[in-house]
Amino acid sequence: MASATKFVSSALTIAEMEARKIRHDSSELWMRAIQPALWLVVFGSALTELRSSQLTEGNFTYLQFMSAGIIAQSVLFVAILYGVRLIWERDMGMLTKLLSTPAPRASVVVGKTLASSVRGIFMAIVVLGLTLVLGINLRLDPLDVLGVFSVVILFAMAFTAFSMTLSAFLGTQSRMMAFGQALTMPLFFASNAIYPISLMPRWLQYVSEVNPLSYVVDAMRSMILTGVYTQVPLDIAAIGVFTLLMMVSASLVLRKLVQ
Amino acid sequence: MKTGKPPMKAIEVEHLSKVYPGGIKAVDDISFDVEEGEVWGFLGPNGAGKTTTIRMIITLGLPTSGSIKVFGIDVSRDSARVRSMLGYVPQAVSVDGDLTAYENLLIFSKLFDVKKADRPDRIKEALDYMGLSERADDLVKHFSGGMMRRLEIAESLVNRPKILFLDEPSIGLDPASRLKTWGYIKKLNSEYGVTIFITTHDMEEADELCDRLAIMNQGKIAVSGAPEDLKRSIGGDLVTVKTSARPPSTVPADLGTVTEVEDYSLKILTANGEAALPQIIDYLRNQGVAIKGISLSTPSLDDVFMKYTSAGRDTRGSFRETREARKAFERRAR
C-alpha cells in the first residue's frame, strides 16, 4: 500500500515537473501546432471540394473526415520524438540524477508519459480550435470531446513510452531524431488518418490493421464525426493493451540509457 | 558488556567487479569501507573505474560480482531503500535549467519524500544558506556554473541524505567558486553530519577535503589511507636550510637524515617536517651555525598519484567520460 502511494506520488511529481516547464516556455508547442494547421488549411482545403462518399466513407466533407486524423498526427509527432529530449536529459546528467532518487523506475516512465499527454491534449485543443475557426462541422458535445481527450492521453502515453524504449537502444539524439522521423510518415500513411482503409490495396490494409494509429483515429472519428460507437470499445481496448505493453518495455529498458 | 551499536559503516564494498560486454574489466575485485561521517575520496585517472563503481553503489549499474552495502543494506536486495538514503551530484549539470531554483528544490524534495510540512522551511533555509534567495524564482539556465553547483548542494540540504556522492565537484569552476564549493562541502559534512563520497582527479581538492581516500588504477585500488599517511608513505618532508657557514654534515637521527650538504646549505629528509623544523633550528643554533633561510617542502598528493597510477605513462580515458566532462564545463562556463 505504501509503495503504491509512493508510486503514484512519484509519477505525479515527475509529471508536475514537466508541466511546470511547459508553463515557463510553451513556444515549442505553438511551433509544433504549425504543421497540423497547414495540413488542415492547405491540404484539407484543397481536397474538400472533392465530394466523394468513397473518400470520406459517408456524406462528409474531406475536412470533416480528416480532422480526427490530424489530431492523431499532431499528437504522434509530439510523442514519437520524446526520446530525443530524453537522450538530451541523459547527456546533461538530469536523467541519471532522476534515476538515483527513490522514485520507482516505472513511475518515472508513467510521470514522463503523463506529461507528454499534457502536450498531446494541448495539440488536440489547438486542432479542435482550428476546426472551429475553419467552420468545420463536428460533433463537439462535451462527452465526445472528453472521449477524444482520453484517447489522446492513452495514445500519447503509448508512443512516448515507445519512443523512450527506442531511445534506450539508439542511444544518441541524432539517431533518435532520424529514426523517429522515418517512422512517423509510414505510421501516418499506413493508417486511416487521411483516407479510409477501404481505399488501400490489400497488403496495406493488413499493415493498417496492426497500426495503432488506425484504432486511435477510428475511435476519435466515431466520437467527433459519425456518432457510431460500435467499434469504439474494441478501439480503446486495442490502444489500452498497446499502451500497457509500451509502458512495461520502457520501464524495463530505461536503466540501459544511463549505463 | 558493550553498550550501544558499533559505529556504522556507511559503505561496505566486498570483492566488487564489473565486466562489460567484450570482457573489459572496468572494476576488478575491489573492497573498501567508508565510515559514517567521513569525507571519502575516490581518485584515479580517467577510465580507472571510479564512475562505474559509484554507479553500482547508487544502484544505476549492476555488479558482475561482489557485494555492496549502504548503511548495512544490500543494494541488490532493496535498491529503492538505498536510493532513499543517498544524494548524487553527477559530473554533468544535474539541476534542471528549464525550472526555477525553487522548483528544482521542490520537485526533488517531493521525490525524496521530504514531509510536506518540512518543505517550505527547508527550501527557504537552503536557499538562504547557499546565497540563492534572491534568484529563487529565476530559471536555472540563466545561472552561472558556480550557482548551479550551489543549487545542487542546496538540494542535499533540503533532502538531507545520509550520504552524498559528488562526482568531480569542482570541475569547470573558476577558482573562487571552487573554493566556495569546498567550503560548502565541508560544512555539509561537519554541520549536517552528511557522509561525503567524492571522486576527483584534482589532487589539491582531495587533499583539502578528504579524511581518507583511495586511488584507483585500471579497475583496482592501488592504495588507500589518509592523505597525510599516503604522502608520508612515499617519503618524508624535505627541510632545506640556508646557512652563513658550512653546516654540520650529520644531525641527530631523531631529526631526520641529511641527504645533501653544500657549503652554505643542508637538506634533511624527515618523517614529519612541521614537528622537526623547530628542533632542527634549535640544533643548528646550538652548533653555532647561523641560519639565513629555511624552507619545508612536502611530497604532494600529486606525487602519490603519479607513483600509484599509470597516469604518467598512459593517459587513455574513455571518450564518453571526456565528452561528458567537457560538456559540463561548457555549460558551466556560460
Side-chain angles (χ1 to χ4, degrees):
Chain A
M1 191 55 213
S3 63
T5 319
K6 170 69 188 153
F7 187 94
V8 173
S9 76
S10 296
L12 289 178
T13 304
I14 289 160
E16 177 193 344
M17 180 176 179
E18 303 283 323
R20 282 174 182 269
K21 290 186 203 171
I22 299 173
R23 205 180 59 185
H24 288 307
D25 183 7
S26 58
S27 57
E28 181 208 336
L29 282 176
W30 289 106
M31 278 180 231
R32 282 185 188 274
I34 294 172
Q35 198 172 26
L38 287 177
W39 274 98
L40 281 177
V41 174
V42 180
F43 190 84
S45 303
L47 285 186
T48 204
E49 292 309 312
L50 189 71
R51 299 272 167 163
S52 160
S53 58
Q54 232 191 340
L55 182 61
T56 61
E57 287 189 316
N59 191 23
F60 305 112
T61 67
Y62 186 65
L63 276 171
Q64 283 177 306
F65 175 79
M66 83 182 303
S67 293
I70 297 305
I71 294 177
Q73 181 237 35
S74 64
V75 176
L76 173 72
F77 277 33
V78 170
I80 207 150
L81 290 177
Y82 188 82
V84 179
R85 169 184 290 269
L86 190 70
I87 293 171
W88 179 77
E89 284 183 10
R90 191 276 311 273
D91 288 346
M92 292 326 300
M94 275 137 30
L95 185 65
T96 316
K97 166 88 158 292
L98 196 57
L99 292 180
S100 72
T101 68
R105 257 137 219 170
S107 78
V108 174
V109 173
V110 174
K112 287 199 175 285
T113 53
L114 260 181
S116 188
S117 69
V118 173
R119 291 164 200 269
I121 293 223
F122 180 94
M123 300 309 289
I125 291 173
V126 168
V127 176
L128 285 176
L130 267 172
T131 63
L132 288 177
V133 172
L134 295 173
I136 303 169
N137 190 16
L138 297 172
R139 297 156 29 90
L140 291 182
D141 68 73
L143 277 179
D144 283 320
V145 173
L146 279 182
V148 168
F149 286 171
S150 329
V151 173
V152 165
I153 291 173
L154 274 180
F155 175 53
M157 289 179 88
F159 273 87
T160 304
F162 178 52
S163 182
M164 290 169 91
T165 308
L166 282 180
S167 67
F169 291 99
L170 296 173
T172 70
Q173 287 184 62
S174 47
R175 263 185 269 170
M176 184 63 222
M177 181 76 89
F179 200 68
Q181 275 172 350
L183 266 179
T184 48
M185 282 303 163
L187 277 168
F188 183 46
F189 289 126
S191 79
N192 54 358
I194 52 170
Y195 35 73
I197 290 176
S198 57
L199 283 186
M200 298 176 184
R202 182 54 58 85
W203 67 270
L204 195 54
Q205 290 189 358
Y206 290 131
V207 176
S208 68
E209 289 289 323
V210 293
N211 183 350
L213 199 60
S214 298
Y215 295 87
V216 171
V217 174
D218 190 62
M220 293 199 292
R221 190 167 282 150
S222 304
M223 292 171 191
I224 58 172
L225 187 64
T226 63
V228 181
Y229 298 110
T230 44
Q231 286 292 315
V232 172
L234 173 76
D235 289 335
I236 292 187
I239 303 163
V241 169
F242 180 66
T243 308
L244 197 65
L245 281 176
M246 288 302 116
M247 304 282 268
V248 170
S249 75
S251 307
L252 289 177
V253 300
L254 190 60
R255 187 159 69 179
K256 217 173 130 69
L257 258 178
V258 295
Q259 274 175 347
Chain B
M1 229 179 97
K2 274 188 184 174
T3 53
K5 291 179 291 182
M8 184 67 128
K9 297 264 192 228
I11 295 176
E12 293 160 87
V13 168
E14 274 170 28
H15 301 293
L16 183 69
S17 292
K18 174 76 179 183
V19 183
Y20 282 115
I24 303 155
K25 271 196 171 174
V27 175
D28 188 3
D29 192 25
I30 62 170
S31 300
F32 63 92
D33 290 342
V34 178
E35 304 284 345
E36 182 170 13
E38 75 176 338
V39 180
W40 165 269
F42 221 35
L43 280 60
N46 288 337
K50 295 169 298 193
T51 303
T52 307
T53 307
I54 283 205
R55 285 184 174 216
M56 288 189 279
I57 300 174
I58 65 174
T59 79
L60 290 183
L62 294 174
T64 307
S65 63
S67 79
I68 305 167
K69 283 183 186 162
V70 178
F71 289 99
I73 294 163
D74 196 319
V75 296
S76 62
R77 292 259 164 73
D78 197 347
S79 64
R81 185 137 165 248
V82 168
R83 287 202 299 275
S84 73
M85 293 188 291
L86 61 86
Y88 174 50
V89 180
Q91 227 174 76
V93 182
S94 65
V95 283
D96 204 311
D98 296 327
L99 295 173
T100 67
Y102 171 82
E103 287 171 333
N104 264 289
L105 296 181
L106 178 71
I107 294 288
F108 279 91
S109 70
K110 286 183 178 183
L111 291 176
F112 273 97
D113 304 316
V114 175
K115 285 202 187 72
K116 196 173 181 181
D118 292 342
R119 279 182 218 145
D121 287 347
R122 283 205 198 172
I123 292 174
K124 190 180 176 306
E125 189 189 328
L127 286 169
D128 283 345
Y129 191 78
M130 287 291 153
L132 292 168
S133 299
E134 285 176 12
R135 304 290 302 272
D137 293 322
D138 289 353
L139 290 182
V140 170
K141 63 180 163 199
H142 304 307
F143 281 19
S144 69
M147 289 167 74
M148 288 186 196
R149 257 305 179 239
R150 262 143 64 200
L151 183 59
E152 284 167 334
I153 295 171
E155 269 176 13
S156 308
L157 291 177
V158 176
N159 304 335
R160 314 260 167 97
K162 292 179 86 169
I163 181 164
L164 178 64
F165 293 83
L166 293 154
D167 204 353
E168 301 282 354
S170 63
I171 201 162
L173 294 184
D174 62 66
S177 307
R178 180 162 163 255
L179 270 178
K180 268 191 190 166
T181 302
W182 288 353
Y184 290 129
I185 293 172
K186 283 184 198 163
K187 276 192 176 176
L188 208 53
N189 176 249
S190 58
E191 287 179 21
Y192 290 83
V194 180
T195 306
I196 309 250
F197 188 125
I198 72 170
T199 72
T200 182
H201 32 218
D202 178 345
M203 294 307 122
E204 202 189 333
E205 179 169 272
D207 208 1
E208 177 75 23
L209 295 175
C210 300
D211 296 319
R212 288 195 305 146
L213 53 86
I215 295 179
M216 249 190 126
N217 187 42
Q218 297 182 340
K220 288 181 189 293
I221 289 180
V223 66
S224 67
E228 293 309 313
D229 295 339
L230 291 178
K231 284 185 277 186
R232 210 163 291 142
S233 76
I234 64 163
D237 298 331
L238 202 62
V239 180
T240 308
V241 191
K242 303 269 183 208
T243 56
S244 55
R246 186 168 177 89
S249 56
T250 55
V251 295
D254 57 328
L255 297 187
T257 26
V258 175
T259 56
E260 202 180 309
V261 190
E262 285 176 18
D263 278 356
Y264 300 104
S265 82
L266 175 69
K267 286 187 178 174
I268 302 166
L269 186 68
T270 173
N272 185 343
E274 282 174 18
L277 209 51
Q279 295 173 33
I280 290 172
I281 294 171
D282 286 349
Y283 174 77
L284 288 177
R285 281 206 180 125
N286 289 340
Q287 296 288 309
V289 179
I291 298 170
K292 289 177 77 181
I294 190 158
S295 69
L296 176 67
S297 58
T298 45
S300 65
L301 263 188
D302 280 313
D303 300 321
V304 178
F305 186 80
M306 297 304 271
K307 180 179 171 187
Y308 288 106
T309 69
S310 52
R313 304 184 290 278
D314 175 11
T315 49
R316 93 203 150 85
S318 76
F319 172 70
R320 172 102 174 258
E321 198 169 333
T322 309
R323 190 188 65 164
E324 278 181 5
R326 291 214 176 143
K327 253 191 185 161
F329 182 78
E330 278 165 22
R331 284 257 308 195
R332 283 181 196 287
R334 284 203 311 216

